[in-house]
DNA sequence: TGACAAATTAAGTGCGCACATATTAGCATT
DNA sequence: AATGCTAATATGTGCGCACTTAATTTGTCA
């Protein structure tokens, strides 16, 4: 009957969010049941449910069956990152993409690689070192280990022209992906490859992917100085 | 009538995901309309909608009204990061948290700070430099600029005992947050503060927050060597 | 007192419907 | 051909209902 149109779940989300921000509900406090909020705001419970899901996804509240909804006691900043394939990243910045295979050998994986893959038994893997170029200049150096048991086909692929990253993305989808970011000093060989000063601070992205429980690949991508990773706008 | 129970939206999501992974729908391809998928799988359209929303959120497909649903042409790795407040982070690793104010001055913000805040006109801000400690040892050095126009109350806060980060989190909620990650070499003063070798590679998190369009604070958090940022498990 | 079972509770999900909204495509007018 | 109106269309959203599931509380019995 009210002339104002119905509430959208985003309205509900914002109202609840505001109530939390204003301090009406502090960290750890329990919010009213969905059904009561729906009643108070005069909307359907499904609308409140949707709003609460959104708040739960952003890490603002925690929801548990029977336990109800609580304001997350330890506030976190939750951010979403998009990491495109390197070719795309270079081209989006207006650069001309290039790729150069440096080394391709089968070798016994060192402990660190096994650990990243969550493997306990040592095994032989395919190691691929390559350089991504932007306008002919070094952009990212990647040191990749590919699990031959999970991806036997990789043995037949010519990686001199074809980028291992892209081949894997297109031919070996993953179901899980772990990422790790840190900084490292350029040693002489990396400095040489990336055309950087030895000792320069470099940004590193380590990514490991699995299909179900089977590791596909783990890669250490070392960027040239000045590289920055931004949150999704 | 089939004895199997009804399909969950997660089942639908996984089926569509599998269809994409198997190559049945390639990058850029258009998927059937929700209603047709619902019909084929013998479930409600709302169930398909929910599944599609999830796939859209994970960056696997793109949906547009009237345009339909398409497999995202440029595959990305989408990851979610949780960045806790530093006290929490230290305590979760089993350390004893400490905090030390180094400097607190009002000063005209340099261009880089203004740019981070998306401000064009120069202005005076409050600069707070502080050290987060774990078990008495340096952990993160933060160099923060606080916008006095947005947060005038900060002038009355004693920041020698109270952590600016936590005060802001608890007293000045933000509606937008930008993050930026990169690597930097320790200059002499930072190396001294963090008890690191000069020139060591350090991981940096830059965070800027706004309430609506008004900037609250921008902070450069420089971590000690060895620091790693992981995706949410 | 403690262990286990049963009842209770609040969120999670599925369905079907109606309508809203954005975007494309088609058509007509200039 | 360029323009602008109109219709068609696929997703987005809201509602109400019934039922499921997980977790907590209560009750019972040893």
């Amino acid at each position: 009957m009210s002339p104002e149109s119905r509430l959208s779940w985003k309205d509900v989300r914002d109202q609840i969010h505001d109530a939390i921000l204003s301090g009406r509900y502090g960290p750890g406090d329990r919010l009213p049941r969905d059904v009561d909020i729906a009643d108070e705001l005069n909307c359907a419970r499904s609308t409140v449910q949707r709003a609460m899901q959104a708040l739960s996804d952003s890490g603002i509240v925690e929801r548990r069956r029977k336990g109800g909804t609580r304001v997350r006691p330890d506030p976190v900043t939750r951010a979403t990152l998009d990491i495109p394939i390197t070719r795309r990243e270079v081209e989006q910045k207006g650069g001309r993409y290039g790729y150069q295979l440096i080394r391709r050998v089968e070798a016994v994986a060192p402990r660190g690689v096994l650990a990243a893959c969550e493997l306990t038994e040592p095994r032989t893997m395919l190691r691929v070192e390559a350089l991504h170029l932007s306008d002919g200049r070094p952009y990212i150096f990647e040191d990749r280990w590919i699990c031959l048991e999970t991806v036997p086909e990789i043995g037949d692929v010519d990686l001199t022209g074809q980028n291992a990253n892209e081949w894997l993305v297109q031919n070996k989808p993953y179901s899980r992906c772990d990422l790790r970011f840190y900084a490292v000093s350029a040693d002489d060989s990396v400095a040489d490859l990336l055309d950087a000063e030895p000792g320069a601070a470099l940004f590193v992205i380590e990514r490991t992917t699995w299909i179900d429980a089977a590791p596909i690949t783990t890669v250490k991508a070392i960027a040239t100085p000045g590289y920055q990773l931004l949150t999704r706008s």
Side-chain angles (χ1 to χ4, degrees), chain A residues 208-219:
Chain A
T208 308
T209 54
W210 292 263
I211 177 78
D212 301 324
I216 299 172
T217 187
T218 182
V219 56

Side-chain angles (χ1 to χ4, degrees), chain A residues 12-26 29 31-32 37 55 60 71:
Chain A
V12 175
R13 177 199 59 189
D14 291 344
Q15 283 197 33
I16 299 170
H17 194 189
D18 287 348
I20 294 171
L21 295 186
S22 77
R24 188 155 136 221
Y25 301 103
D29 284 0
L31 298 173
I37 292 178
L55 290 171
I60 294 170
V71 179

Side-chain angles (χ1 to χ4, degrees), chain A residues 125-159:
Chain A
M125 290 189 175
L126 180 65
R127 182 182 193 180
V128 177
E129 290 172 278
L131 203 55
H132 299 269
L133 309 167
S134 174
D135 287 331
R137 297 177 60 81
Y139 185 68
I140 285 179
F141 166 66
E142 70 168 58
D143 182 2
R144 179 185 297 271
W145 292 80
I146 303 170
C147 186
L148 290 167
E149 276 138 46
T150 315
V151 201
E153 318 93 283
I154 196 75
D156 304 325
V157 180
D158 174 25
L159 292 176

Side-chain angles (χ1 to χ4, degrees), chain A residues 64-169:
Chain A
R64 293 168 68 183
R65 282 167 158 149
K66 162 88 183 179
T69 306
R70 295 177 176 280
V71 179
R72 211 173 195 281
D74 53 326
V76 294
T77 298
R78 185 163 294 178
T80 304
L81 293 175
D82 273 357
I83 301 182
I85 56 173
T86 310
R87 173 193 297 279
R88 187 94 195 164
E89 187 177 327
V90 167
E91 288 171 352
Q92 212 146 35
K93 289 184 183 171
R96 183 174 42 82
Y97 176 77
Y99 168 80
Q100 194 180 329
L101 178 67
I102 292 169
R103 199 152 68 109
R104 173 208 167 111
V105 290
E106 290 191 18
V108 176
R111 265 205 304 277
V113 169
L114 292 174
C117 292
E118 295 177 356
L119 292 171
T120 48
E121 295 301 310
R123 65 192 65 194
T124 299
M125 290 189 175
L126 180 65
R127 182 182 193 180
V128 177
E129 290 172 278
L131 203 55
H132 299 269
L133 309 167
S134 174
D135 287 331
R137 297 177 60 81
Y139 185 68
I140 285 179
F141 166 66
E142 70 168 58
D143 182 2
R144 179 185 297 271
W145 292 80
I146 303 170
C147 186
L148 290 167
E149 276 138 46
T150 315
V151 201
E153 318 93 283
I154 196 75
D156 304 325
V157 180
D158 174 25
L159 292 176
T160 51
Q162 173 128 34
N163 179 323
N165 180 11
E166 290 171 28
W167 186 89
L168 284 166
V169 164

